[in-house]
Amino acid sequence: MRWKQVGIGMVVAGVVAASASCTSAPEAPEPPAAANRLDEVVQRGELRVCSTGDYRPFTYRDQAGEWSGIDVDMARDLAGRLGVEATFVPTTWKTLVDDFRARCDIAVGGVSVTLERAREAFFSDAYVVDGKTPITRCENAARFQTLEQIDQPGVRVVVNPGGTNEEFARSHLQRATIVDHPDNNTIFQEIVDGRADLMMTDATETRWQAKQHPELCSVHPDQPFTSSEKAYLLPQGDVVFQQYVDHWLDLAMHDGTYARISEPWIG
């Protein structure tokens, strides 16, 4: 009798277990993996934006952590067109490409198109053509019209490490003294206070900074030493996302969006 009871018990237990497994809620299926960054951003509900926050009028992050600037608002417009939120990720010019590849979907903020960066990422279409030109105290503007005048012993040229400004200065100056200043938000005060004689940066920035500091003058911003383009950094190899951003940018440049966003900054 005992073996019959044991056998019946095992059968009942098996039926109960089978019944429980049949009535339990099925696990939710995993969402399909995004085929490209465009789909991934939409699924995530967030556009992750790398920016240095130290290059007005394109990007600025104040001491309270609030972001502003032409490219900051452009990134928010892109996120809005995608129906997602823009999240800004602070970076530096030295770590821009590495941070972008590890943490972001797009990098903005007056990013110059260079061959070195193009080896690591895609670029959007260019939206600004600019070039390096000096900014100095107004009484010294006549002294620093040419690279030959600038590249003289005793001339102090201040640079922000890691960006194209430093690269340009170090590749063109042999006799002048190059002074590193780590904070691009305060670097122009070095010229105002007389600790540096000039800085060479993009003409757009020199125009904006000259408005903020009456002591400073932009030197021939309409005829800079170089010609370079600014664009947005995008994931390498993702043509779908690149084409979407390029199409959005083309619309923004022609439907008044870029003009409306940039007007408060550069007129």
Side-chain angles (χ1 to χ4, degrees):
M1 285 296 292
R2 180 170 297 177
W3 71 268
K4 290 184 179 180
Q5 291 174 347
V6 171
I8 293 171
M10 291 176 65
V11 170
V12 172
V15 171
V16 171
S19 175
S21 66
C22 291
T23 57
S24 62
E27 292 184 5
E30 291 288 330
N36 51 67
R37 189 63 62 96
L38 178 62
D39 292 342
E40 182 182 331
V41 167
V42 172
Q43 286 182 12
R44 191 193 311 131
E46 176 190 47
L47 179 71
R48 300 171 304 188
V49 184
C50 274
S51 198
T52 62
D54 65 353
Y55 187 24
R56 290 173 283 186
F58 298 105
T59 176
Y60 178 58
R61 183 173 184 246
D62 66 19
Q63 293 183 345
E66 295 297 319
W67 291 85
S68 62
I70 295 171
D71 283 353
V72 169
D73 286 341
M74 286 291 286
R76 287 173 174 149
D77 184 81
L78 173 60
R81 305 280 184 113
L82 288 167
V84 303
E85 294 292 323
T87 298
F88 290 90
V89 179
T91 184
T92 69
W93 291 110
K94 272 189 174 181
T95 62
L96 173 64
V97 173
D98 288 342
D99 287 343
F100 161 71
R101 294 181 67 186
R103 305 169 62 192
C104 294
D105 307 302
I106 188 171
V108 309
V111 180
S112 296
V113 178
T114 68
L115 290 175
E116 291 76 18
R117 288 169 179 161
R119 293 179 64 181
E120 306 291 336
F122 274 0
F123 279 103
S124 71
D125 288 339
Y127 62 96
V128 168
V129 177
D130 215 339
K132 303 301 180 189
T133 205
I135 183 169
T136 184
R137 291 184 65 90
C138 292
E139 63 265 27
N140 293 327
R143 291 178 54 201
F144 302 129
Q145 294 287 313
T146 68
L147 282 170
E148 184 179 1
Q149 289 176 307
I150 293 168
D151 192 20
Q152 297 296 326
V155 175
R156 300 162 300 170
V157 180
V158 67
V159 300
N160 51 321
T164 57
N165 292 337
E166 181 187 26
E167 179 185 346
F168 178 77
R170 294 195 184 279
S171 63
H172 288 83
L173 304 179
Q174 285 75 47
R175 292 173 291 180
T177 300
I178 296 177
V179 180
D180 286 343
H181 186 76
D183 185 359
N184 207 43
N185 283 318
T186 61
I187 197 168
F188 297 93
Q189 195 64 39
E190 297 297 292
I191 309 171
V192 173
D193 294 341
R195 288 184 291 271
D197 296 305
L198 74 145
M199 178 180 178
M200 291 183 290
T201 185
D202 294 313
T204 302
E205 185 178 31
T206 66
R207 286 190 179 100
W208 192 86
Q209 289 292 345
K211 289 182 180 179
Q212 314 311 308
H213 303 282
E215 307 93 332
L216 301 183
C217 284
S218 174
V219 181
H220 52 63
D222 295 324
Q223 296 180 309
F225 294 139
T226 63
S227 178
S228 64
E229 296 178 323
K230 296 196 180 300
Y232 300 133
L233 213 58
L234 302 170
Q236 190 175 55
D238 197 327
V239 176
V240 172
F241 190 51
Q242 182 190 41
Q243 288 187 343
Y244 182 89
V245 172
D246 282 344
H247 185 53
W248 157 79
L249 183 57
D250 182 64
L251 291 174
M253 297 300 289
H254 290 91
D255 68 5
T257 299
Y258 187 84
R260 171 180 55 79
I261 288 173
S262 62
E263 196 278 334
W265 291 89
I266 58 177

